Amino acid sequence: MTRARPSDDAAGSFSPQRAMLMRVAYRMLGSVADAEDVVQEAFIRWHAADRSAVREPSAFLRRTVTRLCLDQLKSARHRRETYIGPWLPEPVMEEDIQEDVTLPLMLALERLSPLERAAFLLHDVFGLDFDEVAQTIQRDEAACRQLAVRARAHVREARPRFEIDRQTGKEIAEAFFAASRSGDMTALGAMLAAGVSVHSDGGGKRPAALEPIIGIDAVMKVHESLVAVFKEGGSTLVRAGLINGLPGFISMEADGQIQTTTLDIEDGRVTAIYIVRNPEKLRHLN
C-alpha cells in the first residue's frame, strides 16, 4: 500500500483548490458557515487519503465536497422549512464574479432536489462534462442529463437576463441608499419598477417582514414609514458593490447591527430588493 505524503504536502496541494471548493459548496448550500465546514471536512479527508494514487486532485476534491453538500442539504431542507420569514442565502460581497450565479438564481436552486441542484451547478455553472458529473453524484450519465434538464426548466426565468456594468450598479446602489435613508421618495420612486418586491430575512432575530412586500405602492409605504427611524437612529453606508452577483450595499443601522441590501435591476429599474438582517448570516462580513 502506498503511503500518503507528508501533511505539509496535503496542505500545499489543497490550498490552490480552496477558493474553487468554497464556490461549489456555497452555491450548493447558500451558507458561508456551512460551506466552510464542508471544505474543512474535505481537507481532513484529503489529509487522510492516499494522495499519491489521486491523478486529478481538483476532481477528487470537487467530488468530495459535492457529496458532503448532498448530505448537508438533507438537514438544511428541514431547517429552512421551519425558518421564520423569508429565507435568503447568506450575502457574499464578491470582487470577481466567475459564474453568473446571482441571488435570484440561488433562490430558484432552493426549489430543486439536491441531485438536480448538483447536476445543474456542476455542468451548467462550473462546466464539467456529464461523465464527471455522473462520477461525482454517483448516478449514470443519462440520469445526470435528465436531472440537468429538469433543473434548467425550473431555473430558466431566474438566469441573469440583463447585464449591468459594475460601476453603474454601484452608483444605483449608492443612489438607492441615499434616497431611502434621506426620505427622498420622489427619487426612490423613480428607481422602482411597478412590480417591485421586497424580501427581508430577519430569521426571527431582528424585525423583518414575514412575507414579501409586492408592488410599488406597498414598497413606497414601507420606506415612508422607515424614514423617521433612519433620521432618528441613523443609517450609515459601509460599502457598496456586488453582493451575490447583484448591485447592493452593506449598511450599519440604528440598532448598531449591519445588514445587506441587494438590488435586482432590469432596464434600469429595481425589480426586487433583498435585505438580510439575520445577524447569524452576517457574521462573516464583520
Side-chain angles (χ1 to χ4, degrees):
M1 180 176 176
T2 306
R3 295 179 60 189
R5 287 171 287 182
S7 60
D8 60 341
D9 184 62
S13 55
F14 186 87
S15 182
Q17 310 296 332
R18 182 177 289 276
M20 177 271 292
L21 297 174
M22 272 297 297
R23 290 201 305 275
V24 172
Y26 172 69
R27 281 153 177 75
M28 282 284 290
L29 300 173
S31 164
V32 174
D34 288 348
E36 288 174 341
D37 289 344
V38 161
V39 171
Q40 183 59 31
E41 176 61 25
F43 172 71
I44 292 171
R45 297 190 181 196
W46 178 243
H47 186 277
D50 178 7
R51 296 183 298 281
S52 64
V54 178
R55 287 183 298 174
E56 297 183 38
S58 62
F60 175 92
L61 290 167
R62 191 163 45 233
R63 289 172 197 156
T64 301
V65 163
T66 301
R67 291 169 187 169
L68 288 168
C69 287
L70 288 172
D71 291 338
Q72 183 86 352
L73 282 171
K74 296 173 185 176
S75 60
R77 190 171 292 272
H78 173 71
R79 291 199 308 270
R80 288 167 198 177
E81 286 172 352
T82 58
Y83 196 79
I84 298 174
W87 179 92
L88 296 176
E90 291 182 16
V92 173
M93 180 73 79
E94 299 174 287
E95 297 294 342
D96 180 27
I97 302 301
Q98 301 191 39
E99 307 94 19
D100 61 353
V101 182
T102 60
L103 194 152
L105 179 55
M106 291 188 71
L107 290 174
L109 292 175
E110 287 295 307
R111 300 194 293 268
L112 305 180
S113 73
L115 287 175
E116 288 172 340
R117 187 169 183 158
F120 175 82
L121 284 170
L122 292 174
H123 181 266
D124 286 39
V125 174
F126 293 105
L128 304 188
D129 60 39
F130 279 113
D131 176 60
E132 183 167 347
V133 175
Q135 294 179 53
T136 300
I137 66 175
Q138 299 175 309
R139 295 293 188 277
D140 63 46
E141 193 170 325
C144 292
R145 290 181 184 277
Q146 190 57 39
L147 287 167
V149 167
R150 290 204 301 266
R152 284 185 211 114
H154 282 92
V155 306
R156 186 174 293 115
E157 290 302 312
R159 294 306 295 266
R161 288 170 290 168
F162 298 88
E163 290 189 13
I164 184 168
D165 174 78
R166 181 188 295 264
Q167 183 58 33
T168 301
K170 182 179 178 183
E171 290 170 0
I172 292 175
E174 290 172 341
F176 182 94
F177 175 87
S180 61
R181 269 50 177 186
S182 68
D184 188 344
M185 294 297 107
T186 300
L188 182 64
M191 300 176 67
L192 305 179
V196 64
S197 59
V198 176
H199 311 259
S200 185
D201 180 344
K205 296 173 175 59
R206 290 177 72 194
L210 296 179
E211 298 289 340
I213 300 164
I214 310 294
I216 189 169
D217 291 339
V219 171
M220 289 293 289
K221 284 181 182 178
V222 169
H223 280 91
E224 286 170 0
S225 69
L226 290 173
V227 171
V229 176
F230 291 141
K231 288 186 175 179
E232 180 181 349
S235 178
T236 305
L237 179 64
V238 176
R239 184 182 175 193
L242 288 177
I243 300 176
N244 297 114
L246 297 178
F249 55 84
I250 304 171
S251 57
M252 179 74 72
E253 298 304 321
D255 60 2
Q257 299 291 315
I258 64 168
Q259 71 178 40
T260 61
T261 301
T262 307
L263 308 175
D264 199 359
I265 300 169
E266 296 181 6
D267 290 333
R269 301 271 182 152
V270 176
T271 59
I273 303 164
Y274 301 96
I275 303 169
V276 177
R277 292 175 55 79
N278 184 344
E280 292 184 357
K281 294 187 174 186
L282 299 166
R283 280 183 241 174
H284 61 285
L285 297 177
N286 285 322

